[in-house]
């Protein structure tokens, strides 16, 4: 179907109180199972996981919607640890 | 050393937690509610519609003052992907399992309910993440937030579907990939008039629409709000292995479907959100209580997908009410042991919640098999009867 999704554009309308320096998700960058990496990349609604041109996993906690999908799918594998951002930080739904 | 002491501490300012806070404060119980977002609702989203019956028991006639979007008068249920076949029926007719319902936006609605709880005397703290529980010999006696400790006779965990605190207690395994459903939604702004025209509705009337099997692994949903449309997809996490598509692309595909695109055309994206929904499978009931602790709402996986409708918020509110009633009784007896708090489970079992949860999967499956060509409404009604919901 036509129309490739532009997630960054969608996240751009949201309000975030970003904790720039501390990621609430700890990703295992040494994890190499391509199938597992692929399913986590595809499940994340905020496209926080991606592969760069060298097929190296890139994770960016900014823009995370805190749904927990990557945690449920891959905790103990690609996801080392998962927490909510510290109080008052992260996504802030104005409408919900 | 503890900094402060309360009768009850509630973790999470969603509908379950706020309802507990309201009911406890109204009964003169000293209650503190801690929410990690900057306000109640800041971390919450719904499709979605609220069946009003459970909140009605707590705050009579709340619909007159609460920030509701539209009253649902029309139901749509669809099947098919390339060609979507839709059944439309009146909300007040044969298939009204829980009476009246309204679309709500949680950012507004939860803030309103938080105000009501505060008016009853509940103390609400926002912007604070509870990191852990105070536990002594398996009994919960308070919470830890940062370097602050706060003690209470009993703690209500209403910390949402991922309930990290519930998991720390070891009470409940984290939602399994086959039980967790991801919802991804766009809120699209359109004028009231355009929404009325496109959905053939008037005034503050609205439509709730579930689209089963509209993608390879996803279902769709559409709800009309006052001047916006909630449009989204849901998929069981496990099913990511059955597709090459990504979750955000699924929503894009759904929005671009030739039968759907005209409904949201010209609209402006107001917000993009995602959340997990706990989906009960056969005989799956999480641990709901222990010494000094009760779990309510999504934290207790109290959510029922009945196929033609999805119910979470009315279950959350009812569980918040029942948890509060249990705490009031325990306070009266001054007994917060596991045995005493077992009353909560009895109350849940005697309420509509457990019936709804137990029949959800059956109802969901039967709904998918209903023959659209031969009196589908009657078939739907039989689904409800068979599932024990009517």
């Amino acid at each position: 179907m036509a129309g490739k999704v532009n997630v960054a554009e969608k996240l751009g309308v949201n309000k975030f109180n970003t904790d720039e320096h501390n990621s609430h998700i700890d990703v295992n960058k040494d994890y190499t199972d391509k199938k597992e990496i692929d399913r986590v990349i595809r499940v994340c609604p905020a496209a926080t996981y991606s592969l760069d041109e060298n097929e190296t996993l890139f994770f960016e906690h900014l823009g995370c919607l805190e749904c927990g999908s990557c945690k449920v799918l891959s905790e103990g594998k690609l996801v080392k640890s998962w927490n909510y951002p510290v109080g008052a930080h992260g996504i802030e739904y104005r409408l919900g | 050393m503890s900094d402060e002491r309360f009768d009850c501490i509630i973790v999470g300012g969603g509908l379950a937690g706020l309802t507990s806070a309201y009911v406890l404060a109204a009964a003169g119980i000293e209650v503190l509610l801690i929410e990690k977002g900057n306000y109640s609702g800041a971390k919450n989203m719904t499709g979605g519609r609220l069946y009003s019956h459970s909140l009605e028991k707590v705050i009579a006639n709340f619909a007159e003052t609460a920030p509701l979007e539209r009253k649902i008068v029309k139901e749509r249920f669809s099947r098919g992907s390339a060609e979507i076949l839709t059944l439309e029926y009146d909300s007040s007719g044969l298939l009204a399992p829980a009476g009246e319902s309204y679309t709500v936006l949680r950012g507004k609605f939860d803030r309103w309910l938080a105000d009501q709880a505060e008016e009853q005397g509940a103390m609400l703290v926002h912007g604070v993440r509870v990191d852990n529980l105070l536990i002594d010999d398996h009994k919960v006696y308070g919470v830890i937030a940062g370097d602050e400790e706060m003690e209470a006779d009993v703690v209500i965990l209403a910390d949402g579907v991922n309930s990290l605190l519930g998991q720390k207690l070891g009470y409940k395994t984290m939602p399994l990939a086959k039980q967790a459903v991801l919802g991804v939604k766009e809120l699209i702004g359109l004028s009231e008039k355009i929404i009325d025209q496109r959905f053939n509705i008037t005034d503050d009337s609205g439509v709730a629409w579930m689209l089963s099997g509209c993608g390879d692994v996803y279902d769709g949903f559409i709800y009309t709000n006052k001047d916006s449309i909630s449009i989204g997809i849901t998929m069981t996490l496990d099913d990511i292995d059955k597709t090459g598509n990504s979750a955000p692309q699924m929503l894009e595909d759904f929005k671009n479907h030739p039968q759907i695109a005209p409904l949201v055309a010209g609209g402006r994206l107001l917000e993009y959100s995602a959340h997990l929904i706990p989906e009960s499978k056969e005989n799956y009931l999480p641990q709901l209580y222990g010494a000094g602790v009760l779990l309510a709402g999504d934290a207790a996986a109290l959510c029922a997908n009945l196929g033609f409708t999805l119910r979470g918020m009315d279950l959350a509110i009812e569980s918040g009410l029942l948890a509060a009633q249990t705490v009031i009784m325990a306070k009266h007896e001054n007994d917060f042991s596991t045995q005493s708090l077992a009353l909560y489970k009895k109350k849940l079992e005697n309420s509509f919640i457990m019936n709804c949860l137990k029949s959800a999967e059956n109802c969901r499956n039967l709904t998918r098999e209903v023959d659209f060509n031969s009196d589908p409404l009657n078939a739907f009604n039989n689904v409800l009867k068979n599932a024990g919901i009517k």
Side-chain angles (χ1 to χ4, degrees):
Chain A
M1 207 162 292
K4 190 171 172 356
V5 66
N6 183 338
V7 178
E9 205 172 280
K10 295 186 186 190
L11 294 172
V13 304
N14 285 357
K15 182 176 181 199
F16 290 95
N17 302 312
T18 302
D19 186 346
E20 302 274 354
H21 305 294
N22 302 303
S23 174
H24 56 287
I25 303 174
D26 190 7
V27 173
N28 182 358
K29 293 272 171 65
D30 299 325
Y31 201 77
T32 52
D33 183 341
K34 281 197 172 146
K35 191 170 171 256
E36 183 66 18
I37 291 171
D38 176 61
R39 67 205 289 256
V40 174
I41 287 175
R42 287 188 296 110
V43 87
C44 175
T48 56
Y49 298 81
S50 59
L51 292 177
D52 67 13
E53 59 274 22
N54 304 318
E55 299 265 302
T56 307
L57 179 68
F58 178 75
F59 172 75
E60 174 66 88
H61 73 281
L62 312 179
C64 173
L65 297 170
E66 300 162 33
C67 67
S69 295
C70 62
K71 168 186 162 55
V72 175
L73 264 193
S74 199
E75 190 168 45
K77 290 183 270 184
L78 187 57
V79 176
K80 254 195 244 176
S81 70
W82 194 101
N83 200 347
Y84 288 105
V86 289
H89 287 83
I91 180 66
E92 185 165 299
Y93 291 126
R94 290 163 291 122
L95 297 162
Chain B
M1 276 298 287
S2 178
D3 300 329
E4 284 177 87
R5 189 172 173 84
F6 295 87
D7 292 331
C8 177
I9 292 175
I10 300 165
V11 184
L15 296 179
L18 289 169
T19 302
S20 288
Y22 182 101
V23 174
L24 288 170
I29 306 267
E30 269 189 62
V31 57
L32 170 71
L33 182 149
I34 307 173
E35 160 60 40
K36 62 183 180 300
N38 277 322
Y39 46 83
S40 288
K43 301 287 183 182
N44 302 340
M45 65 85 98
T46 175
R49 75 158 105 188
L50 167 71
Y51 286 97
S52 61
H53 65 110
S54 52
L55 188 54
E56 192 63 37
K57 281 187 269 186
V58 180
I59 306 175
N61 304 318
F62 76 92
E64 289 168 15
T65 50
L68 304 170
E69 295 296 317
R70 287 175 186 252
K71 182 177 174 183
I72 299 298
V73 298
K74 205 188 272 189
E75 313 278 331
R76 287 181 185 170
F77 178 77
S78 299
R79 270 204 309 252
S81 50
E83 192 72 41
I84 295 174
L85 196 60
T86 300
L87 190 66
E88 181 178 302
Y89 52 97
D90 192 300
S91 300
S92 61
L94 206 54
L95 287 167
E100 286 180 357
S101 67
Y102 299 86
T103 43
V104 293
L105 295 171
R106 300 289 300 277
K108 296 181 192 175
F109 190 78
D110 292 19
R111 260 183 281 194
W112 170 83
L113 188 54
D115 289 344
Q116 311 310 305
E118 274 186 322
E119 260 177 40
Q120 294 298 318
M123 188 187 287
L124 270 58
V125 175
H126 293 108
V128 174
R129 183 184 73 189
V130 171
D131 299 308
N132 223 326
L133 297 167
L134 292 167
I135 303 168
D136 181 35
D137 194 20
H138 302 293
K139 187 195 178 299
V140 176
Y141 69 98
V143 302
I144 305 170
D147 47 19
E148 246 191 293
E149 294 187 356
M150 285 158 276
E151 291 188 9
D153 290 328
V154 60
V155 173
I156 297 176
L157 293 183
D159 55 339
V161 58
N162 285 301
S163 187
L164 301 184
L165 296 171
Q167 286 169 27
K168 277 184 180 163
L169 274 176
Y171 273 17
K172 162 177 169 284
T173 55
M174 66 177 179
L176 303 171
K178 64 177 177 180
Q179 287 164 339
V181 173
L182 169 64
V184 188
K185 174 183 118 169
E186 281 187 30
L187 189 69
I188 294 180
L190 282 165
S191 76
E192 277 189 67
K193 200 174 153 204
I194 288 181
I195 294 172
D196 287 353
Q197 285 167 353
R198 288 185 185 176
F199 290 86
N200 191 23
I201 43 183
T202 51
D203 301 326
D204 292 326
S205 302
V207 177
W209 190 357
M210 302 283 268
L211 299 101
S212 177
C214 55
D216 52 355
V217 296
Y218 62 88
D219 297 332
F221 63 83
I222 292 174
Y223 294 90
T224 57
N225 304 308
K226 204 174 286 286
D227 52 8
S228 65
I229 290 173
S230 294
I231 179 166
I233 59 102
T234 55
M235 64 157 283
T236 304
L237 286 182
D238 237 8
D239 288 344
I240 196 72
D241 295 328
K242 296 182 194 160
T243 178
N245 215 349
S246 75
Q249 185 63 50
M250 291 174 201
L251 173 51
E252 197 69 9
D253 292 349
F254 177 49
K255 252 179 33 180
N256 287 331
H257 190 287
Q259 285 170 273
I260 303 300
L263 297 170
V264 292
R268 188 168 64 92
L269 178 64
L270 303 176
E271 205 162 60
Y272 177 64
S273 56
H275 221 275
L276 288 183
I277 305 160
E279 190 163 271
S280 68
K281 299 274 177 185
E282 75 281 340
N283 304 324
Y284 171 71
L285 294 176
Q287 188 167 343
L288 300 159
Y289 65 95
V293 67
L294 299 167
L295 277 73
D298 276 1
L302 304 179
C303 191
N305 179 358
L306 305 178
F308 61 91
T309 189
L310 181 64
R311 295 172 60 179
M313 294 187 283
D314 60 326
L315 278 64
I317 289 165
E318 184 79 9
S319 69
L321 167 63
L322 299 179
Q325 289 173 348
T326 304
V327 167
I328 292 166
M329 189 57 81
K331 176 82 185 161
H332 184 71
E333 305 284 332
N334 196 29
D335 180 0
F336 301 92
S337 65
T338 308
Q339 293 82 348
S340 169
L341 298 182
L343 175 65
Y344 177 51
K345 191 167 185 212
K346 281 198 200 93
K347 282 178 173 290
L348 284 168
E349 278 165 358
N350 291 331
S351 77
F352 72 91
I353 293 178
M354 284 307 167
N355 187 26
C356 213
L357 286 182
K358 282 176 186 161
S359 39
E361 188 174 25
N362 189 22
C363 196
R364 207 155 59 230
N365 292 337
L366 290 169
T367 303
R368 286 187 183 129
E369 289 156 20
V370 165
D371 182 359
F372 275 27
N373 296 317
S374 61
D375 199 358
L377 281 188
N378 190 40
F380 263 161
N381 201 36
N382 285 334
V383 168
L384 284 179
K385 276 187 191 149
N386 288 339
I389 288 170
K390 281 197 108 164

